[in-house]
Amino acid sequence: MADPAIHHETQPINQIAIDYTPEACTHCPESNSITLTYDHRGGARWRSTTRFLYGTFSSLIQCPKGNTSGLNFNIYLSSLEGDRSQDEIDFEFLGKDKSIVQTNYYASGTGNREEIHDLGFDCSDAFHEYVIKWCPNFIEWLTDGKLVRKEEKREGMGFPEKPMFLYASIWDASSIGEATWTGPYIGCDAPYVCLYKDICVPSGTAVECSCDS
């Protein structure tokens, strides 16, 4: 586990673990790039090999082209994917509409804090930067340097406090809400490729910075 000192200096991600379908995930450490593919094999998910307690996490992402209805592609933090008591902080793209992004966070397994944001662009048209800044007393989500959401810790309200991995995945979410969330899966433009580059995680073991809100 990384040192819990608050640090917002970043470094390229050097190693990843692939949780499933490794043949659909390509990692090139030399160029700091990762490719996720959704096709007949299903999707794939990668994560950092280290948990972090606070810091700044970022990536340039070009989302899949074509008709991506039904798919979810993302970048997020989680204390452990699949744990019902997990903490989590999300950027999620909903395949039915590539001009928006959903942000959300969980504390001890409780979420339902979704917000939808108009990106002002098609997330598949080019690479765009997505940043999560996580501090003990607030979270910020930024796209291309623009603050799109800020949540401050409030007394009596759950807030992410567990060390978390950086994750990203692409998967068919069309079964959720009877396809109302990401739309019905069409698949006419498969394979769908989500590109990540310049992926950065907190650096060092005791890099201090101000996290005043």
Side-chain angles (χ1 to χ4, degrees), residues 116-137:
I116 298 293
H117 312 276
D118 183 9
L119 289 168
F121 53 81
D122 180 330
C123 64
S124 69
D125 67 358
F127 281 96
H128 296 275
E129 184 185 46
Y130 303 89
V131 177
I132 294 171
K133 184 177 180 180
W134 173 37
C135 287
N137 57 337

Side-chain angles (χ1 to χ4, degrees), residues 15-32:
Q15 293 182 308
I16 65 169
I18 302 172
D19 287 344
Y20 58 85
T21 326
E23 62 273 21
C25 180
T26 303
H27 177 216
C28 181
E30 292 77 14
S31 62
N32 189 12

